[in-house]
Each structure stands twice: as structure tokens, then as C-alpha cells.
Amino acid sequence: MAPEILRNNPYTPASDIYSFSMIMWEFTSGIPPFNNKAHDVELILSICEGDHPEIIKNTPKCYIDLMKKCWDSDPSKRPNIVIIENTISEWLRSINEYYIFNSEDEQSYEVPNIGNQLRNDMYEFIKANRDLMQEQANISVLQTHPQAYYTSRLLTEILYQNNSECLDCII
């Protein structure tokens, strides 16, 4: 859940963008965020103070940059869905062109019709794909914390069990 929601502020589309960043992180790790921590008031406070899951080694820089923008603690600084969709579509287009182009000519690694930055991003994804699979295998052996819950309702209950209608009072 986005920090602003944990603070009992109104839900906005930017809250979904924050949640999307957690899904992005889960794609790179293979496990849910904060899997190794109790889902309690301490976790809520740390999220409200800007805590986020540790970035997985070998994650492409362009992916990290987008993920960090999406989990920015200031909702107004998060990209909107159109920007995210355009960014990811460009990544997919360039990677598809890479595989189409290189299936025709096994000797060439240059892809026509894409800029240098997009080409660099594409190569990062291709290299990271191999590395991340190994990293996910190593991470998945970690134990899930027995008090790790993955339902928003339970986090809300934790807040109210601690007699706090709003975390802003605590933070």
C-alpha cells in the first residue's frame, strides 16, 4: 500500500502507481515485497518514512529508474500510467526488434531503428534476464516472516488495533 494510504489520506491513481512499483520489484525478486518482515506497525512506519525493498542485483538500470520513480514517497512525483505504458512499450518494441533482427542474421547484434539509449536499455534487459533468474533462485530460499500478510484489510486492522486513526500523528 502507498504511504499516503497508510496515512489514511484519500486514494488516488498515484496510489496505484506506487503499488505497481511493488509489482515491478516482485518481478525482479520472485517474492512479494517485505516478505521477510512482520506486517505490523513498524513496517507501516518504515514505509511511511520511505523504506522500500532492496533492489535486486543485476536489475537493469532503466528498470530501476522507472521503479524508483513509481515508488517515490511524493505521489505528485510519480509518473502517470501513460508515461509508464509508453516506456514499457518502447522497451518491448526494442527487445522484439533485437530478437527478430538477430534471428535473421546470427552474426549481428545491431538493431536498426532504435536510439542509443533504447539500445543500451535493451542490452541491459537481455543480460539481466539471465542474471536475474539465478538471483531469484537464491532469494526464493529465504523464509517468509510468520507475520507477513498480504491483505490490505489486515494492515488497516493493525492501525486500528493500535488506536491510531491516522499515522500522521505517529510519524
Side-chain angles (χ1 to χ4, degrees):
M1 291 177 68
E4 63 271 15
I5 301 302
L6 295 173
R7 289 186 179 105
N8 209 21
N9 289 334
Y11 176 84
T12 67
S15 305
D16 279 341
I17 301 301
Y18 180 90
S19 297
F20 178 72
S21 73
M22 295 297 117
I23 294 169
M24 290 179 71
W25 183 85
E26 191 169 342
F27 282 151
T28 65
S29 69
I31 58 172
F34 304 112
N35 190 49
N36 59 344
K37 296 180 179 183
H39 290 194
D40 57 11
V41 173
E42 288 180 35
L43 177 60
I44 292 170
L45 291 173
S46 71
I47 291 170
C48 288
E49 292 170 354
D51 191 18
H52 52 76
E54 185 176 330
I55 293 171
I56 304 302
K57 181 179 153 193
N58 297 318
T59 302
K61 183 184 178 315
C62 57
Y63 191 89
I64 293 169
D65 292 344
L66 180 60
M67 187 168 55
K68 284 181 174 181
K69 289 175 186 173
C70 291
W71 74 33
D72 195 297
S73 58
D74 180 351
S76 69
K77 292 182 181 176
R78 296 178 197 147
N80 64 39
I81 193 63
V82 173
I83 292 170
I84 294 169
E85 193 276 330
N86 287 339
T87 301
I88 293 172
S89 291
E90 280 299 301
W91 293 342
L92 292 173
R93 185 183 66 77
S94 67
I95 290 170
N96 286 339
E97 284 187 25
Y98 169 85
Y99 284 113
I100 291 168
F101 187 74
N102 285 303
S103 67
E104 295 169 2
D105 180 5
E106 297 291 330
Q107 305 301 317
S108 175
Y109 292 100
E110 290 299 313
V111 179
N113 305 322
I114 63 170
N116 286 336
Q117 183 59 52
L118 198 51
R119 181 177 290 115
N120 291 340
D121 293 349
M122 174 197 59
Y123 288 134
E124 273 190 273
F125 275 108
I126 291 165
K127 179 186 179 311
N129 188 43
R130 291 183 298 261
D131 297 339
L132 284 172
M133 289 178 72
Q134 180 59 44
E135 192 69 25
Q136 285 178 343
N138 294 338
I139 289 172
S140 64
V141 299
L142 297 175
Q143 292 293 321
T144 301
H145 194 284
Q147 292 177 325
Y149 304 105
Y150 292 99
T151 2
S152 304
R153 185 182 59 78
L154 292 174
L155 286 175
T156 305
E157 286 176 9
I158 290 168
L159 287 175
Y160 292 110
Q161 285 172 356
N162 288 284
N163 298 322
S164 175
E165 291 184 20
C166 177
L167 276 179
D168 283 335
C169 308
I170 299 171
I171 296 176

